[in-house]
Amino acid sequence: MQIYLPIAEVSVNIFLLLGLGGIVGVLSGMFGVGGGFLMTPLLFFIGIPPAVAVATEANQIVASSFSGVLAHLKRKTVDLRMGTVLLIGGLTGSGLGIILFNYLKALGQVELLVQLCYVVFLGMIGSLMFIESLNAIRRSSKSGGKVATRRKHNWVHNLPFKMKFRVSGLYISVIPPLLVGVLVGVLAAIMGVGGGFIMVPAMIYLLGMPTKVVVGTSLFQIIFVTAFTTMLHATTNFTVDVVLAVLLLVGGVIGAQIGTRIGVKMKAEQLRIWLAIMVLAVCGKLAFDLLVMPTELYSLGAGGH
């Protein structure tokens, strides 16, 4: 059953959109990511214009992340203080990202920028996560299932402006979380992602947070940053397709609850390696599309898209 998307100006199968939303919701609940790193490229693949895909996907992430964070709040695995620090940086970054997005849109370079950002960031993060998770699984098997304790003290703990984060069991500077938040905010504006694929590894390996707290805290920050990003896109670019967003929301909310239940039953190392595999798969597909010559070298598009 086809449905016409007024802002994207294309017709898409309604069940395909509901299914994609459900898949992203499952990922959100399992890994603590908004799922935009997967959904936005998928929207490209089915013919949604990049500017519309980025702005609308940020809106869909809000609902799937909200659904997921409710489940984590019940389990008391959300560090609200850490989430607030990340949020301050995230709102700042998203504002900067929108300015850059609008500038590149005026130059007609948005599509290339978005795809290149995906290839670079997904390639780096996916590779690092895959190698680390594989090593963690090997260490676990050699030690009879006992995973070595992650080193807690590094250069981050020597920085000034320290704050105590009781839920995470940390006493560290607020500077690294703020910088991570800014980076995630910029990515949310330019790439239409929640930024969880960068935030989750940073919270685990840079800040030293426990994996069980990372997922819920990441989702908490993602909700507000993506909501702010959506508002900026809607008021400055007019590229948020409400019909597309609603269909993705319905699937995303249901999928997030399922993903949260699956994630609780899996080991942290297993979660990270599966996330790394999916990140690398999406990166490979986007890189392939950039390198292969398209069937049509020229295309006509509507003004403003």
Side-chain angles (χ1 to χ4, degrees):
M1 188 172 80
Q2 299 290 112
I3 185 169
Y4 181 72
L5 305 177
I7 303 299
E9 298 180 345
V10 295
S11 294
V12 183
N13 188 294
I14 187 172
F15 298 109
L16 174 61
L17 294 177
L18 289 172
L20 292 179
I23 292 172
V24 168
V26 171
L27 295 176
S28 175
M30 285 179 65
F31 304 117
V33 298
F37 73 91
L38 180 62
M39 177 60 81
T40 306
L42 289 176
L43 292 177
F44 295 166
F45 300 154
I46 64 175
I48 306 298
V52 177
V54 168
T56 306
E57 175 53 21
N59 186 47
Q60 188 267 345
I61 291 170
V62 176
S64 60
S65 299
F66 182 75
S67 177
V69 84
L70 288 178
H72 285 282
L73 283 171
K74 292 179 182 178
R75 297 184 176 90
K76 298 181 180 179
T77 53
V78 179
D79 190 330
L80 294 177
R81 178 171 287 190
M82 178 64 78
T84 302
V85 174
L86 290 167
L87 177 59
I88 294 171
L91 295 178
T92 304
S94 63
L96 296 173
I98 288 292
I99 294 173
L100 178 60
F101 185 92
N102 290 343
Y103 174 72
L104 290 166
K105 184 183 177 185
L107 296 177
Q109 299 297 321
V110 167
E111 183 172 353
L112 179 61
L113 169 74
V114 171
Q115 290 182 330
L116 286 175
C117 282
Y118 268 104
V119 172
V120 172
F121 281 102
L122 295 184
M124 291 191 303
I125 299 300
S127 299
L128 291 173
M129 284 188 66
F130 183 81
I131 294 171
E132 194 282 334
S133 300
L134 202 59
N135 290 334
I137 291 175
R138 287 175 179 173
R139 289 195 300 267
S140 177
S141 60
K142 289 180 180 179
S143 61
K146 295 182 179 179
V147 181
T149 304
R150 187 177 295 112
R151 185 165 57 90
K152 292 266 183 177
H153 293 281
N154 51 34
W155 61 271
V156 170
H157 297 79
N158 298 325
L159 296 174
F161 307 110
K162 291 187 176 181
M163 181 181 292
K164 186 172 288 185
F165 301 96
R166 297 186 184 278
V167 178
S168 299
L170 296 175
Y171 180 61
I172 61 172
S173 169
V174 297
I175 296 175
L178 282 173
L179 293 178
V180 171
V182 170
L183 175 60
V184 168
V186 171
L187 294 179
I190 294 177
M191 298 171 65
V193 297
F197 66 91
I198 284 183
M199 187 184 302
V200 170
M203 292 165 77
I204 294 173
Y205 306 121
L206 180 65
L207 305 182
M209 293 177 62
T211 302
K212 66 176 182 179
V213 178
V214 165
V215 176
T217 307
S218 172
L219 291 176
F220 171 78
Q221 189 263 7
I222 286 171
I223 292 171
F224 297 100
V225 171
T226 49
F228 182 64
T229 301
T230 299
M231 182 184 70
L232 292 178
H233 273 299
T235 54
T236 61
N237 296 322
F238 310 106
T239 49
V240 177
D241 194 308
V242 177
V243 178
L244 174 60
V246 169
L247 291 173
L248 295 176
L249 288 176
V250 173
V253 170
I254 298 172
Q257 295 299 319
I258 299 172
T260 302
R261 294 177 182 177
I262 296 173
V264 171
K265 298 178 182 179
M266 295 180 68
K267 293 181 180 179
E269 290 74 25
Q270 292 175 328
L271 285 173
R272 293 202 298 272
I273 200 166
W274 278 112
L275 178 58
I277 291 171
M278 281 184 286
V279 168
L280 289 173
V282 174
C283 174
K285 170 62 177 171
L286 285 170
F288 179 79
D289 288 346
L290 282 175
L291 294 173
V292 174
M293 183 179 293
T295 53
E296 296 183 9
L297 297 179
Y298 302 97
S299 62
L300 295 177
H305 294 323

